[in-house]
Amino acid sequence: MACVYIPVQNSEEEVRVALDQLPRDATDILDILKAEQAPLDLWLIIAREYFKQGKIEQFRQILEEGSSPEIDEYYADVRYERIAILNALGAYYSYLGKIETKQREKEEHFILATQYYNKASRIDMHEPSTWIGKGQLLLAKGDVDQAFAAFKIVLDGDRDNIPALLGQACVEFNRGKYSSSLEMYKRVLQVYPGCPAAVRLGIGLCRYKLGQFDRAKQAFERVLQLDPENVEALVALGIMDLQSNEAYGIRGAMEKMRRAFDIYPYCATALNYLANHFFFTGQHFLVEQLTETALAATTHGSTRAHSYYNLARSYHSKGDYEKAGLYYMASVKEINKPQEFILPFYGLGQVQLKLGDFKSSLSNFEKVLEVYPENCETLKAVAHIYLQLNQTTKAHEALKKATRIDPRDPEAFLDLGELLIATDSGAALDAFKTARNLLKKANEEVSIELLNNIGVLHFERGEFELALQTFKEALGDGIWLKLMDTEPQSDSIGDPIRNTLYQPIDSSLAARKYKDMQLFHNLEKDGISVDLPWDKITTLSNLARLFEQLHKTETASLLYRLILFKFPEYVDAYLRLAAIAKSRNNVPLSIELIHDALQVDDKNPDALCMLGDLELKNDDWLKAKDTFRAAKDASNGKDSYATLCLGNWNYFAAVRSEKRAPKLEATHLEKAKELYTKVLIEHPANMYAANGAGVVLAEKGQFDIAKELFTQVQEAASGSVFVQMPDVWINLAHVHFAQGNFSLAIKMYQNCLRKFYYNTDSQILLYLARTHYEAEQWQDCKKTLLKAIHLAPSNYTLRFDTGVALQKFSASTLQKTKRTVDEVRATVAELKNAVRVFSLLSAASNLQFHGFDEKKIETHVGYCKHLLEAAKVHCDAAELEDQQNRHRLELARQAAIREEESRLAEEQKKVKLEKRKQEDELKKVMQQEQHLERIKEHWKSSGSKRKDRGQSGDEEGGQGERRRRKGSSKKRKRDKKTETHMDDQDEYDDDNANTNYYEPENQVNNQVNNDEDDPQDLLAAAGLEDSDADDDPGAPSAGRRIRGWSESEEDEPEKRPPNSSPVRDNSVDMQLSDGD
Amino acid sequence: MKLAWLRSLETAHQDCVWACTWLPPTDKSSGLLLTGSLDETVKLWNPEDLSLVRTNTGHCLGVVSVAAHPSGRIAASASLDSFIRVFDVESNNTIATLEAPPSEVWQMQFDPRGTTLAVAGGSSASVKLWDTAEWKLVSTLSIPRPEGAKPSDKGNSKKFVLSVAWSPSGRQLACGSMDGSISVFDVQRAKFLHQLEGHTMPVRSLAYSPLDPRVLVSGSDDECIHMYDAEGKTLFSSMSGHSSWVLSVDVSPDGAAIASGSSDRTVRLWDPKMRAAVQTMTNHTDQVWGVKFEAVGGGARGSLLASVSDDKSISLYNYS
């Protein structure tokens, strides 16, 4: 048992003090020490013993007593011991300061420590131990350079001074000079091989920092051999294990960390690593506890940064972005240079991105990029932000770089593809395909969204076969395959699905089959499960749309119905079915389907617009207007399609107004113009609005500007399968016609017919015939009209027009001064035909089925008889022609005169009789007159004042903002997958849908007929006997016929909602409700 | 089941070719192809080399329809001026000129025994039946007005009759209308039987299966081909695929295939069992107004199919 002996003053005796039996009250011992004037080294020994026993208070009491002024006085010549006592106190307070976490107390401790050391220095300023103490103190305060100076003083005196060496090694380590630090530690070991384990710890750390991991590991293991409870060594080894990146290593590492934690629960590093571990195992509660402890336990900047980072990450992964952001911020604040610890910057960037603070987010990601310029994840995030900030070029650059750096990252290609969709569908497709191939190579699942996108792009580019394959691949196996597979199948006879599918249906129900769900009920009854996972709806719907495009309408309707069978809330499917029904002229069913859609969502602007259009078709003008208004309101006026519909409505209203009211007409036109302009301001590339604007211009007689506008729209409209704009061709042709440029007009009409209508549109044929008529190409005119009759057999107006054309031809031939016998014979033949046509019309009028007034027809019959007589005369004349040319000429003239007179008489009568039935026509005629006037004025004064708008409206027409990218903020990689697909065609169709118009069928009017009834003709004819007066209403009136919309657009997608994500959400909901 | 293109003749007519039919072989001649065109002529062709046998003139305005008598000796052609010209094939002598004002003339067909010519009567909403012995109008099969229609309503204009077809037995007759409905009549009793619905646009062409008198095939502007059970009033199947109006349909002599001609410029061959087009011929460059199988199949070598188009050409295919 260790003892000290305090010599008793003035005697040989000693007081024996057993060190393990020191009195609890230090005063007892102090009394003895003071009374016996014991040597100071005994004081120190006893104090140290108290310290060792953890009796800090006693330790301090003795040392403080031992450094009191009276002691100084009494022991003035005992210098070394006094210094030792002061140094011990200094070291004690240094330690206190070092471990104290509260800043104020910490500083107080340091101040005390400094005072003691300074006092010691005053006793002997060369005492090395004081300098070492000071060095330690400075190190604790983080004042590395001064600490270096302090230790250097000692080492200059004694280069093997172990404490100084250790201190200096520590200084060098902190300065990052690991090799010189290592040298110091080594020297310590040489000088004092039995030194404590901690020295080897230093060696290990140096080697670790120098990258000599194996030797570092040896060192740490040696430390643990010497001191199995050395926390630092455990932690260090643990970290190294972690870095081995093997499951085994990681397990070992966690084991070591846990041991370190058990030994000393306040080691911040161990806590951080443990927290890190629990973060990955998902035990967030532990993460928070551990990191909070770690934060409480350390002031070391980068350790705290780690702790905050762990905490932030934990909140981040729990979705508490606000808190996560705060902690990331705290973490970032602890970091001096981003190079030291970049992760929190990345995390902060992510959270800010999530919270929509793009600017700050961008600056944080850029910091990451400064350190790691080639980090793909960061590049992708940056690209995403640029996209949000509408800096597509920069976004493109970043993504390009990302794909270049890692050409095997499907994510980057996916993002690139999405970015390019708006601008370059070809490049987008390539990117998507690359992504798909990469995923396939990696044996990863190719998401249905990606395949859907590829399919849609193929679809858009008109590569239908590829689109079909891709959609099928995306959908995989399911009931839909049976429904759509129209390919011959060998086992089709025995297949129950086929059998159900091929069930004959009652023909009276056939027209309603687009609403038929019985089929699926039957299938279910037969025990065949009709399943459709919600995530496949979009693709299935796209596929159905593709079948529509391929004219496999039956299959398309089956697929749409399948969707509705499982998800009756999927509005688009109703609308598509309605569109199919509409294109088949099944208006009642179409309306019914739209009402079904409106029952799901009574504010769906697409449905409302379509309904309005159908109401127009039914000639329900006021209703249509209300519906369009509702559509506009439902979309807060943001749906340009609804606005356009209203514009069109106004235009039609202007053109067809029931009562002739020029004021009303002007108001409607003005309103139409206003609405078109509004759309153009919002979407400068909206071709339909530009077309509408052109129509209004043409209506006002500004043909040149209108023509320019139409030409640009026409150019812009070529390119996508989704943009079909025959109207603009027709309008352009109308303008050519109005300007008297007949041959161009004819070409344009013919091209339009061929390109868009498979030559089946009798209305355009009528325009064409009218142009031939004006160009006096009688045979072409007749043939064109006959073709039109063949296409539209029940349209009697066409027959009437044919009669007029034949008669006009005859009349004009007969008026010629020189003509051949053949010409006259042909003329007579055509006259006979005309007679035949008119008399057939007359006969048919008994049946009242063509809507002409009975009396009008009778007058025509009378007129025809006159014609017939005239024709007979001509016949005779033709016979005489060879011998009596002059005579025949005279006869012919007379005949012509007579014919004119009789016709005039007939017509005047007819005009009166007709008034009731033919009011429309009449109105048009009068409007034309006014137009003529107005247009004439325009000819005079029309400047180019509207030109600017015309151009601006059209310049970007080509590409359009047809697709808007729907942002879903980009999170980390794994979240993103589910969020940032542009998941269906909707987005493309979105604006297409917005820009559809329809022409009401009833717009058809008998243009050629107008000539016949034109009062202007009568006047002209009355004044001049020249029957050519008929031609007068010609050019300007054509503006009247310009039409702005087309039926062909009807099957264009008035479909899907603009946003894809709501679709998905809905679907989820639906599924849930289905589950119930 | 397939079509093999044999030969085509460009500019067979001066203008659009709107109608075609096969004349059955007689003891004097083999089967001939009869075509009618907007150029106001009717032409007879030798199918072997598509050489012109004769050009008949005399029609005004376009020729919309041609019909062949089962004997092969008599044929009829009709034009937009609503005249029907019945002529002797060999001599081209006019046998009769028929008109039934105010009824127009659209499709026509002789009944299988050759005693009656049925004519689709357009706006009269009826089919006119002409006796082929006397060339007299013997019957008018009218489509009944829909119930609830007021007498003052303008005619039966939606029932405008465009197409007509005899059942192989000659007992039934079907006609197709502008509104997409098909009316079926019992000829002997001159009685309207029922309507087949399903089309929503004009039905321009009808054909019965030569083997199964119940099966009626129709083509419509709604781009669909329907197969009906004409007696059971049920729709067997609806086949889509044409991208424009279906202008003409015909059933192959073996009853196993359907041919169709469309505004989409194609001729397609359909397998009714699969409900799908098995072949698409794209040799025409404009609307295909007529497709017609030669009624008498040539056994193993198959039978001929003719198609005529707005592109002024005629094409022949071998169906096997």
Side-chain angles (χ1 to χ4, degrees):
Chain A
M1 178 47 60
C3 303
V4 284
Y5 297 90
I6 303 172
V8 178
Q9 216 172 11
N10 306 324
S11 90
E12 291 299 305
E13 290 175 47
E14 293 172 323
V15 177
R16 181 173 172 275
V17 181
L19 285 178
D20 56 345
Q21 285 169 358
L22 288 171
R24 185 163 301 168
D25 189 351
T27 324
D28 294 353
I29 253 278
L30 266 178
D31 287 348
I32 297 172
L33 287 170
K34 278 195 226 165
E36 304 304 336
Q37 297 181 352
L40 278 175
D41 63 326
L42 281 180
W43 291 55
L44 202 58
I45 289 168
I46 289 166
R48 208 186 283 151
E49 193 54 38
Y50 269 121
F51 185 81
K52 279 183 187 162
Q53 291 174 15
K55 293 173 176 157
I56 305 297
E57 202 43 50
Q58 289 84 337
F59 158 80
R60 217 178 35 148
Q61 201 181 348
I62 290 171
L63 286 188
E64 271 169 7
E65 202 68 36
S67 59
S68 62
E70 17 178 323
I71 297 288
D72 286 344
E73 209 172 298
Y74 187 81
Y75 292 100
D77 52 338
V78 189
R79 293 160 62 113
Y80 179 78
E81 278 78 6
R82 273 167 56 210
I83 289 172
I85 287 176
L86 286 167
N87 282 354
L89 276 168
Y92 170 65
Y93 281 109
S94 297
Y95 168 74
L96 281 185
K98 192 173 169 185
I99 60 167
E100 180 59 60
T101 50
K102 288 178 197 134
Q103 203 56 35
R104 234 180 74 208
E105 276 87 346
K106 194 182 185 87
E107 262 164 38
E108 278 168 11
H109 289 312
F110 283 143
I111 287 167
L112 273 175
T114 316
Q115 281 171 359
Y116 284 118
Y117 282 127
N118 284 345
K119 206 168 162 193
S121 281
R122 275 200 296 278
I123 297 169
D124 179 358
M125 70 164 296
H126 296 296
E127 173 56 42
S129 60
T130 310
W131 283 114
I132 290 166
K134 277 188 174 176
Q136 298 285 9
L137 172 63
L138 289 163
L139 252 184
K141 286 164 80 177
D143 199 341
V144 183
D145 289 330
Q146 285 202 44
F148 179 81
F151 290 127
K152 190 165 184 295
I153 290 170
V154 180
L155 287 175
D156 285 349
D158 173 9
R159 62 181 292 270
D160 287 338
N161 184 311
I162 291 170
L165 275 172
L166 286 176
Q168 200 64 307
C170 187
V171 168
E172 294 288 37
F173 188 89
N174 275 323
R175 286 166 144 196
K177 296 181 180 168
Y178 303 117
S179 52
S180 81
S181 174
L182 181 62
E183 282 310 309
M184 307 261 183
Y185 281 125
K186 275 184 179 166
R187 206 149 81 214
V188 172
L189 211 56
Q190 281 161 5
V191 176
Y192 179 38
C195 64
V199 176
R200 294 175 191 277
L201 188 69
I203 290 176
L205 287 173
C206 286
R207 292 216 185 271
Y208 174 78
K209 285 286 185 186
L210 288 168
Q212 304 161 346
F213 297 121
D214 284 342
R215 304 192 64 176
K217 209 164 175 179
Q218 281 172 5
F220 291 132
E221 273 159 3
R222 179 81 184 125
V223 173
L224 283 178
Q225 276 171 11
L226 297 170
D227 175 7
E229 304 228 313
N230 188 305
V231 173
E232 282 86 354
L234 273 172
V235 172
L237 272 176
I239 292 173
M240 291 184 69
D241 280 351
L242 270 182
Q243 281 166 348
S244 73
N245 233 347
E246 286 158 18
Y248 173 77
I250 290 168
R251 255 199 314 282
M254 281 350 282
E255 196 45 52
K256 290 190 179 87
M257 293 293 178
R258 202 161 296 171
R259 243 168 70 209
F261 178 74
D262 289 342
I263 294 163
Y264 178 68
Y266 301 106
C267 172
T269 318
L271 288 168
N272 275 344
Y273 277 101
L274 278 173
N276 192 27
H277 173 73
F278 287 122
F279 173 78
F280 281 114
T281 57
Q283 288 150 291
H284 296 294
F285 174 70
L286 285 173
V287 175
E288 280 153 37
Q289 275 205 325
L290 289 169
T291 39
E292 268 157 21
T293 316
L295 281 170
T298 184
T299 53
H300 182 243
S302 96
T303 313
R304 287 177 71 87
H306 270 97
S307 301
Y308 279 127
Y309 173 68
N310 272 335
L311 213 47
R313 205 159 50 148
S314 169
Y315 283 115
H316 189 164
S317 71
K318 284 196 292 188
D320 187 344
Y321 301 114
E322 301 282 348
K323 266 196 179 155
L326 287 178
Y327 283 117
Y328 279 132
M329 206 85 91
S331 177
V332 164
K333 268 189 201 140
E334 297 283 351
I335 298 166
N336 299 324
K337 291 184 214 145
Q339 288 91 313
E340 285 171 6
F341 187 42
I342 198 67
L343 292 173
F345 289 94
Y346 188 76
L348 187 56
Q350 284 180 324
V351 169
Q352 283 165 336
L353 178 59
K354 191 80 193 170
L355 295 175
D357 184 357
F358 297 129
K359 291 252 161 65
S360 321
S361 175
L362 185 61
S363 87
N364 280 313
F365 281 127
E366 274 170 348
K367 270 181 202 138
V368 178
L369 282 181
E370 273 168 32
V371 181
Y372 299 106
E374 309 229 306
N375 183 292
C376 287
E377 290 304 318
T378 316
L379 280 170
K380 284 187 277 182
V382 166
H384 180 76
I385 296 172
Y386 279 132
L387 209 55
Q388 298 294 325
L389 298 173
N390 266 335
Q391 299 175 320
T392 35
T393 335
K394 281 189 169 171
H396 191 191
E397 271 169 28
L399 279 178
K400 270 270 180 218
K401 193 171 168 193
T403 53
R404 204 180 52 237
I405 292 162
D406 184 359
R408 259 166 292 187
D409 178 9
E411 284 289 323
F413 281 102
L414 267 181
D415 288 355
L416 188 61
E418 280 169 37
L419 174 64
L420 286 169
I421 278 175
T423 48
D424 182 350
S425 63
L429 184 59
D430 286 344
F432 281 138
K433 276 186 183 160
T434 314
R436 177 176 64 177
N437 292 342
L438 288 171
L439 286 170
K440 273 189 180 162
K441 245 183 231 162
N443 277 329
E444 277 181 59
E445 198 193 344
V446 184
S447 71
I448 185 168
E449 289 86 5
L450 172 58
L451 288 171
N452 183 50
N453 284 350
I454 294 175
V456 168
L457 282 169
H458 278 308
F459 189 177
E460 218 205 8
R461 291 156 61 87
E463 296 157 358
F464 299 135
E465 195 49 48
L466 285 168
L468 183 66
Q469 278 168 17
T470 319
F471 284 142
K472 276 187 180 172
E473 187 187 338
L475 286 167
D477 201 16
I479 179 98
W480 46 86
L481 277 182
K482 293 284 184 189
L483 297 181
M484 70 191 176
D485 216 340
T486 47
E487 304 304 312
Q489 290 177 348
S490 53
D491 58 344
S492 65
I493 307 302
D495 182 11
I497 297 180
R498 298 249 125 184
N499 286 346
T500 313
L501 210 56
Y502 287 180
Q503 208 75 50
I505 51 172
D506 193 295
S507 86
S508 60
L509 302 174
R512 300 184 44 78
K513 67 179 173 233
Y514 298 139
K515 283 198 65 154
D516 175 41
M517 293 291 171
Q518 193 57 42
L519 165 69
F520 301 108
H521 290 296
N522 289 347
L523 280 176
E524 284 193 333
K525 227 184 283 164
D526 292 350
I528 296 156
S529 75
V530 181
D531 266 336
L532 173 59
W534 65 269
D535 60 340
K536 297 193 170 167
I537 301 176
T538 308
T539 311
L540 193 61
S541 167
N542 286 337
L543 179 61
R545 182 72 189 78
L546 176 64
F547 277 120
E548 270 187 73
Q549 194 73 27
L550 295 171
H551 297 274
K552 295 194 173 165
T553 332
E554 299 301 305
T555 315
S557 108
L558 266 176
L559 295 183
Y560 286 130
R561 278 182 283 154
L562 171 64
I563 293 173
L564 288 177
F565 180 66
K566 300 305 282 185
F567 303 97
E569 325 251 299
Y570 196 77
V571 171
D572 306 335
Y574 288 113
L575 295 185
R576 288 313 306 157
L577 283 172
I580 295 175
K582 187 175 154 199
S583 73
R584 296 187 153 200
N585 215 19
N586 198 341
V587 178
L589 182 67
S590 189
I591 289 181
E592 210 175 302
L593 283 160
I594 293 170
H595 279 299
D596 286 347
L598 287 174
Q599 241 162 28
V600 177
D601 174 9
D602 64 351
K603 290 219 158 54
N604 185 307
D606 294 334
L608 286 170
C609 285
M610 233 178 131
L611 183 62
D613 178 55
L614 284 165
E615 282 163 353
L616 272 187
K617 241 185 161 170
N618 275 351
D619 214 14
D620 237 338
W621 282 77
L622 294 177
K623 226 174 168 182
K625 189 178 184 184
D626 287 345
T627 313
F628 286 141
R629 283 237 172 98
K632 201 180 161 193
D633 293 346
S635 58
N636 287 327
K638 278 179 195 143
D639 189 327
S640 42
Y641 180 37
T643 314
L644 274 170
C645 284
L646 267 181
N648 291 349
W649 186 92
N650 273 291
Y651 170 70
F652 286 134
V655 178
R656 61 122 34 208
S657 52
E658 288 290 333
K659 285 164 201 148
R660 287 197 52 225
K663 254 192 197 165
L664 203 64
E665 186 185 315
T667 322
H668 278 313
L669 269 188
E670 205 46 47
K671 183 76 189 157
K673 193 182 84 185
E674 184 192 313
L675 289 161
Y676 293 139
T677 314
K678 195 180 150 210
V679 176
L680 277 176
I681 288 167
E682 279 166 27
H683 304 286
N686 190 314
M687 292 181 272
Y688 299 89
N691 185 41
V695 169
V696 176
L697 286 173
E699 200 63 60
K700 294 180 166 184
Q702 292 164 330
F703 294 125
D704 285 326
I705 308 167
K707 189 160 73 183
E708 201 175 310
L709 206 48
F710 290 142
T711 313
Q712 288 182 25
V713 174
Q714 186 191 26
E715 277 166 23
S718 54
S720 167
V721 292
F722 295 117
V723 185
Q724 298 272 306
M725 283 196 69
D727 329 342
V728 76
W729 292 60
I730 296 168
N731 288 338
L732 206 47
H734 284 334
V735 173
H736 286 312
F737 175 79
Q739 294 188 322
N741 209 338
F742 298 133
S743 61
L744 261 179
I746 287 168
K747 262 218 173 79
M748 199 67 85
Y749 286 130
Q750 281 172 340
N751 285 341
C752 174
L753 261 173
R754 177 161 265 273
K755 191 173 156 80
F756 298 104
Y757 296 103
Y758 289 110
N759 288 341
T760 58
D761 191 298
S762 57
Q763 183 66 29
I764 301 173
L765 278 172
L766 182 56
Y767 298 144
L768 185 58
R770 156 86 188 184
T771 316
H772 283 307
Y773 185 90
E774 292 301 333
E776 306 197 355
Q777 295 157 342
W778 309 113
Q779 279 306 308
D780 290 331
C781 176
K782 172 186 147 190
K783 288 270 167 76
T784 308
L785 284 168
L786 290 177
K787 278 189 203 173
I789 294 173
H790 194 216
L791 289 166
S794 57
N795 183 348
Y796 282 85
T797 313
L798 295 169
R799 291 167 189 264
F800 188 90
D801 294 343
T802 309
V804 173
L806 292 172
Q807 163 220 311
K808 185 71 188 5
F809 160 64
S810 311
S812 72
T813 314
L814 292 176
Q815 269 158 19
K816 280 203 253 176
T817 43
K818 282 184 182 172
R819 55 210 167 181
T820 65
V821 188
D822 285 347
E823 264 181 335
V824 177
R825 283 195 187 119
T827 302
V828 170
E830 296 296 31
L831 261 179
K832 276 183 181 161
N833 282 337
V835 170
R836 175 77 181 161
V837 167
F838 282 126
S839 57
L840 279 174
L841 270 176
S842 160
S845 76
N846 297 331
L847 293 173
Q848 284 188 320
F849 38 58
H850 43 53
F852 293 134
D853 188 284
E854 214 171 318
K855 284 175 184 162
K856 179 194 167 192
I857 294 299
E858 276 167 24
T859 57
H860 273 292
V861 173
Y863 171 53
C864 290
K865 282 178 182 158
H866 278 289
L867 271 179
L868 201 57
E869 280 170 32
K872 272 176 190 158
V873 176
H874 284 297
C875 243
D876 300 339
E879 296 306 319
L880 290 169
E881 172 68 22
D882 281 336
Q883 298 113 21
Q884 297 185 338
N885 199 11
R886 283 186 151 274
H887 179 59
R888 184 187 53 82
L889 207 66
E890 191 56 36
L891 270 176
R893 273 211 178 118
Q894 282 169 12
I897 291 161
R898 236 179 308 164
E899 172 195 322
E900 266 317 307
E901 281 167 355
S902 61
R903 193 173 67 83
L904 286 175
E906 292 306 326
E907 274 175 1
Q908 271 163 344
K909 211 170 11 160
K910 178 190 70 197
V911 165
K912 278 180 205 152
L913 291 167
E914 226 178 350
K915 246 175 194 165
R916 214 171 350 117
K917 271 279 171 184
Q918 294 283 316
E919 242 173 17
D920 271 6
E921 283 179 16
L922 258 179
K923 258 169 255 142
K924 284 196 178 103
V925 164
M926 306 243 316
Q927 281 164 5
Q928 277 176 354
E929 257 188 320
Q930 286 187 339
H931 260 278
L932 184 61
E933 288 312 307
R934 224 182 306 158
I935 284 156
K936 273 178 185 161
E937 279 172 28
H938 276 299
W939 285 109
K940 283 178 215 150
S941 67
S942 91
S944 58
K945 54 184 175 183
R946 299 219 49 82
K947 198 154 190 169
D948 289 347
R949 186 169 74 84
Q951 282 174 338
S952 71
D954 211 35
E955 237 136 41
E956 300 97 313
Q959 352 184 313
E961 28 65 72
R962 297 192 346 273
R963 280 170 248 129
R964 272 175 277 147
R965 182 174 153 88
K966 305 293 170 219
S968 51
S969 22
K970 199 164 288 196
K971 281 176 56 194
R972 0 183 61 223
K973 180 172 173 176
R974 44 181 189 273
D975 303 1
K976 209 169 54 186
K977 257 186 196 158
T978 58
E979 296 198 16
T980 55
H981 48 265
M982 55 106 220
D983 88 58
D984 59 12
Q985 193 194 342
D986 304 356
E987 286 161 29
Y988 316 153
D989 289 344
D990 181 10
D991 285 67
N992 283 337
N994 288 346
T995 46
N996 274 328
Y997 324 142
Y998 318 96
E999 179 190 28
E1001 294 268 78
N1002 47 32
Q1003 234 245 325
V1004 173
N1005 50 32
N1006 13 355
Q1007 254 100 60
V1008 178
N1009 200 4
N1010 280 351
D1011 296 351
E1012 185 62 22
D1013 306 328
D1014 200 324
Q1016 199 180 347
D1017 296 1
L1018 298 177
L1019 292 173
L1024 313 158
E1025 58 120 3
D1026 183 359
S1027 66
D1028 273 346
D1030 272 359
D1031 294 351
D1032 279 356
S1037 70
R1040 162 66 66 226
R1041 266 159 238 129
I1042 286 175
R1043 44 180 238 173
W1045 3 85
S1046 94
E1047 296 98 321
S1048 88
E1049 302 294 319
E1050 287 158 12
D1051 46 9
E1052 267 305 296
E1054 42 269 344
K1055 346 182 250 183
R1056 297 148 206 182
N1059 197 330
S1060 61
S1061 36
V1063 172
R1064 314 197 123 258
D1065 296 345
N1066 280 348
S1067 310
V1068 177
D1069 295 342
M1070 283 187 276
Q1071 199 189 33
L1072 291 176
S1073 60
D1074 255 23
D1076 298 340
Chain B
M1 175 185 309
K2 78 180 221 286
L3 283 181
W5 174 84
L6 291 178
R7 60 192 74 90
S8 294
L9 183 63
E10 306 298 324
T11 333
H13 280 272
Q14 295 302 309
D15 217 319
C16 310
V17 191
W18 281 349
C20 71
T21 196
W22 289 95
L23 282 163
T26 61
D27 40 0
K28 284 181 187 160
S29 75
S30 57
L32 296 175
L33 181 66
L34 192 61
T35 59
S37 158
L38 172 61
D39 68 7
E40 305 182 353
T41 64
V42 172
K43 292 188 179 182
L44 285 119
W45 308 89
N46 183 345
E48 288 304 313
D49 51 359
L50 277 181
S51 58
L52 184 64
V53 176
R54 197 177 57 237
T55 301
N56 297 349
T57 53
H59 275 294
C60 297
L61 312 182
V63 176
V64 290
S65 172
V66 289
H69 192 269
S71 69
R73 293 197 193 87
I74 301 172
S77 53
S79 50
L80 277 175
D81 62 7
S82 303
F83 281 119
I84 303 166
R85 175 174 181 263
V86 184
F87 60 95
D88 182 277
V89 173
E90 205 191 333
S91 66
N92 194 24
N93 289 334
T94 300
I95 297 170
T97 302
L98 312 176
E99 64 165 328
S103 171
E104 300 92 5
V105 176
W106 290 95
Q107 255 185 20
M108 335 178 265
Q109 197 182 19
F110 285 98
D111 84 300
R113 285 169 299 145
T115 56
T116 314
L117 175 66
V119 178
S123 56
S124 65
S126 65
V127 177
K128 307 285 179 191
L129 297 183
W130 297 85
D131 171 60
T132 56
E134 308 264 328
W135 298 111
K136 274 185 185 155
L137 185 63
V138 287
S139 179
T140 297
L141 302 175
S142 290
I143 301 173
R145 283 163 171 272
E147 280 171 42
K150 290 176 221 143
S152 61
D153 276 359
K154 279 183 207 145
N156 216 352
S157 64
K158 285 184 175 169
K159 295 294 177 196
F160 192 105
V161 178
L162 279 170
S163 51
V164 67
W166 288 95
S167 73
S169 64
R171 274 192 225 114
Q172 263 187 23
L173 185 141
C175 69
S177 301
M178 281 300 275
D179 69 347
S181 66
I182 296 162
S183 306
V184 182
F185 297 92
D186 178 326
V187 180
Q188 270 152 349
R189 292 188 289 150
K191 195 179 164 227
F192 168 81
L193 293 177
H194 49 247
Q195 234 167 47
L196 304 173
E197 293 165 49
H199 287 299
T200 44
M201 288 167 85
V203 176
R204 290 184 193 260
S205 181
L206 288 171
Y208 275 94
S209 162
L211 299 187
D212 185 349
R214 292 172 70 104
V215 175
L216 176 66
V217 179
S218 62
S220 159
D221 287 4
D222 67 13
E223 303 177 5
C224 281
I225 294 169
H226 282 182
M227 249 171 69
Y228 290 98
D229 174 352
E231 282 168 26
K233 266 186 81 175
T234 56
L235 176 65
F236 282 137
S237 66
S238 173
M239 297 183 283
S240 55
H242 275 301
S243 48
S244 189
W245 301 356
V246 180
L247 301 173
S248 176
V249 288
D250 199 16
V251 185
S252 67
D254 60 7
I258 296 168
S260 64
S262 160
S263 291
D264 70 8
R265 299 157 201 163
T266 64
V267 172
R268 294 189 195 211
L269 191 70
W270 304 78
D271 181 344
K273 280 205 190 98
M274 301 304 160
R275 304 172 176 229
V278 290
Q279 213 174 342
T280 302
M281 314 298 291
T282 54
N283 47 304
H284 285 298
T285 58
D286 208 338
Q287 315 190 50
V288 180
W289 280 101
V291 287
K292 196 78 180 166
F293 284 104
E294 195 181 16
V296 200
R301 81 173 166 86
S303 54
L304 288 172
L305 174 74
S307 65
V308 295
S309 158
D310 266 358
D311 66 8
K312 306 171 189 172
S313 76
I314 301 173
S315 287
L316 284 182
Y317 319 83
N318 188 59
Y319 164 77
S320 53

